[in-house]
Amino acid sequence: MTSDRFGNALDPGVGYARGELLRSSADEVRRLRHAGKLAADFVARNGVERIGVFTGNLRYYPVSLEDVQELCEEWVGPGLFGEDLRKASINHLGGRGHEQATVVNRTSAGIVAAVLALSDGRPVVSLVPSGDRSHASVGRGARLACVPVIEVYEIPELKKVLEARLPSLTIITTVTSELSMLADSVTLQAVRLAKAAKSRVLMDEAYGARFRPVLHDGAPSLSFGADLVITNTDKAGLPGPRAGVLCGEADALVSVAAKASELGMEARAPVAVGAMRSLMAFTPDLLIAEVKDGQLLADALESVFGVGAVTRSPLGPKISEEDAHAHVLKVAGTEYSTRVPAETTAAIGMLMLQTLGIVTVNTHGQPGGRVSLRLKPTAGALKRVGGVSAIAQCLEAAMTETANHLEDADWFSELLFGGT
């Protein structure tokens, strides 16, 4: 597809249409900075205990005072906790015991570093669930490496590309940020095909490392035989901090870790210690609680918008950016707008942040992230913002207010950027 259903050209790098306001990553950074200010203003008025995080990312820092005093020291600390980090990573990802591990400052950083270190001037093959797409970091890493990305969705496609192109790196995304999932049998077959073609395999398990085993009785990440697995430490039942844990075969991992270090993508000791403690403390209970809250919220949104308008995922409801835009157009009584869906959902997110302190990817997501309306409640978030009915009413009001200002570029600019 080259355009959305409203005729707006899609940016192939991010998968959604750019608009007159959110023209680039730079504009999305401006939006992110203003969202930080709006959140700070909300806290000043209502207190931090009223902020509810609905991104699915808790981003706590689960370390003790002793950790800060000893392990977080930059020179000696990594030597003190390095083996514990390795064991915690292997235990979390289901390795055999010989694997090595490192921490990078973001999962995206680890993916970019892997592409740069392992692509070897050849096309990168990216397998994702049908109907979804690779994370933006795959394409960005490939552009930095000056190699193309070949995205495939089914095993026959993968087999054909592996036979024809002989890639040096195959990336398999088992669970996307939209929570589309590959069956374990497909993942296993893909790993075996790629290895037979002499391709390195990186599994993007940002969500999958816990989502599959806990909710779908899936196999541990490292059991599939990939060279490397990477997961987030602030998603799907892990409390944070924001970081990526990379684990796998030593030769591949060292190459990626070296590239990450060259580019300043490695996690420094304090972040690595927090990531280790996050892995050590994991139990399925937090993820299961998030699933329960997500379904309660989906029920509430369906009662307001209708069953067909809301897509359920295990972690909460979603309204696609195009469906949200169509709803706003209907409320506005028009079939056309100079706004694009990404701008519409950004405005809705900002209004919900201002009103109830609801933090979403539409306010705090990184440039290139998904722009659908996704509400993945983290622990305690529903209670902090007043419950599911309050959230549903807030969303409906935000859509109506956006519709009322749909062609007011100054209003949008002030809301998204503070008028700057």
Side-chain angles (χ1 to χ4, degrees):
M1 295 178 60
T2 58
S3 62
D4 64 19
R5 75 188 201 221
F6 307 100
N8 302 302
L10 296 178
D11 180 340
V14 295
Y16 52 82
R18 299 290 192 180
E20 295 178 357
L21 298 172
L22 291 175
R23 299 162 296 180
S24 66
S25 292
D27 290 324
E28 290 173 329
V29 168
R30 291 172 59 216
R31 182 264 306 159
L32 176 58
R33 288 180 174 177
H34 186 54
K37 182 180 183 302
L38 292 182
D41 291 344
F42 183 90
V43 168
R45 296 192 309 271
N46 302 285
V48 71
E49 68 277 1
R50 292 288 305 280
I51 287 285
V53 177
F54 287 79
T55 65
N57 308 82
L58 273 173
R59 293 183 181 166
Y60 292 159
Y61 186 53
V63 301
S64 66
L65 178 60
E66 184 179 0
D67 287 337
V68 173
Q69 292 172 334
E70 296 182 8
L71 302 186
C72 292
E73 189 275 328
E74 290 277 356
W75 299 108
V76 178
L80 297 177
F81 69 78
E83 181 61 11
D84 288 338
L85 169 64
R86 188 182 76 86
K87 290 179 179 178
S89 302
I90 293 170
N91 179 65
H92 189 77
L93 298 169
R96 291 178 291 170
H98 68 282
E99 295 89 351
Q100 298 297 312
T102 194
V103 183
V104 288
N105 57 28
R106 288 175 59 185
T107 300
S108 297
I111 292 172
V112 169
V115 173
L116 290 170
L118 303 177
S119 58
D120 196 29
R122 302 177 188 177
V124 172
V125 176
S126 178
L127 173 65
V128 295
S130 181
D132 216 319
R133 61 183 175 86
S134 308
H135 191 272
S137 59
V138 176
R140 287 169 175 165
R143 287 194 292 275
L144 289 172
C146 299
V147 298
V149 175
I150 303 173
E151 192 166 88
V152 296
Y153 312 96
E154 307 287 348
I155 288 297
E157 294 177 277
L158 175 65
K159 187 174 182 180
K160 184 177 180 180
V161 171
L162 288 170
E163 290 174 347
R165 299 275 187 161
L166 295 177
S168 182
L169 176 64
T170 300
I171 299 175
I172 300 173
T173 303
T174 60
V175 180
T176 69
S177 60
E178 296 283 331
L179 302 182
S180 302
M181 186 177 73
L182 293 177
D184 277 11
S185 58
V186 173
T187 300
L188 180 60
Q189 189 176 1
V191 172
R192 289 176 174 174
L193 286 170
K195 298 295 289 182
K198 308 299 182 186
S199 173
R200 295 281 197 187
V201 179
L202 168 66
M203 284 176 57
D204 178 358
E205 285 271 84
Y207 280 99
R210 293 160 299 285
F211 185 94
R212 293 182 306 94
V214 173
L215 303 181
H216 297 276
D217 198 28
S221 303
L222 286 167
S223 69
F224 292 94
D227 297 279
L228 296 169
V229 169
I230 192 164
T231 192
N232 273 47
T233 56
D234 66 343
K235 283 183 178 177
L238 287 182
R242 182 186 193 183
V245 172
L246 188 68
C247 189
E249 301 302 320
D251 55 346
L253 185 135
V254 168
S255 297
V256 177
K259 184 59 66 176
S261 183
E262 289 175 0
L263 299 175
M265 295 174 169
E266 83 283 9
R268 307 305 297 178
V271 173
V273 172
M276 177 184 70
R277 294 302 185 207
S278 185
L279 296 178
M280 288 177 168
F282 174 72
T283 68
D285 297 346
L286 182 58
L287 178 54
I288 292 170
E290 289 176 351
V291 169
K292 180 180 178 181
D293 286 350
Q295 298 317 300
L296 290 173
L297 182 53
D299 290 341
L301 294 195
E302 285 181 350
S303 70
V304 173
F305 297 100
V307 174
V310 179
T311 301
R312 283 179 178 264
S313 80
L315 298 182
K318 180 189 79 170
I319 301 176
S320 76
E321 62 268 28
E322 293 190 16
D323 285 348
H325 190 64
H327 180 85
V328 168
L329 288 175
K330 182 178 179 180
V331 173
T334 184
E335 295 182 355
Y336 173 78
S337 172
T338 54
R339 302 281 78 78
V340 298
E343 294 169 339
T344 297
T345 55
I348 293 167
M350 290 293 199
L351 291 170
M352 295 179 74
L353 175 61
Q354 285 181 325
T355 305
L356 279 188
I358 293 173
V359 174
T360 64
V361 293
N362 307 102
T363 59
H364 286 70
Q366 293 297 310
R370 306 299 178 111
V371 295
S372 54
L373 288 172
R374 285 173 290 151
L375 294 170
K376 301 174 184 175
T378 57
L382 295 184
K383 183 178 180 180
R384 290 190 189 100
V385 301
V388 295
S389 295
I391 298 166
Q393 293 168 11
C394 180
L395 174 56
E396 185 175 30
M399 286 182 161
T400 299
E401 186 168 355
T402 301
N404 292 339
H405 296 89
L406 198 55
E407 296 308 316
D408 188 342
D410 291 339
W411 181 86
F412 266 84
S413 180
E414 179 68 29
L415 181 63
L416 299 187
F417 311 121
T420 59

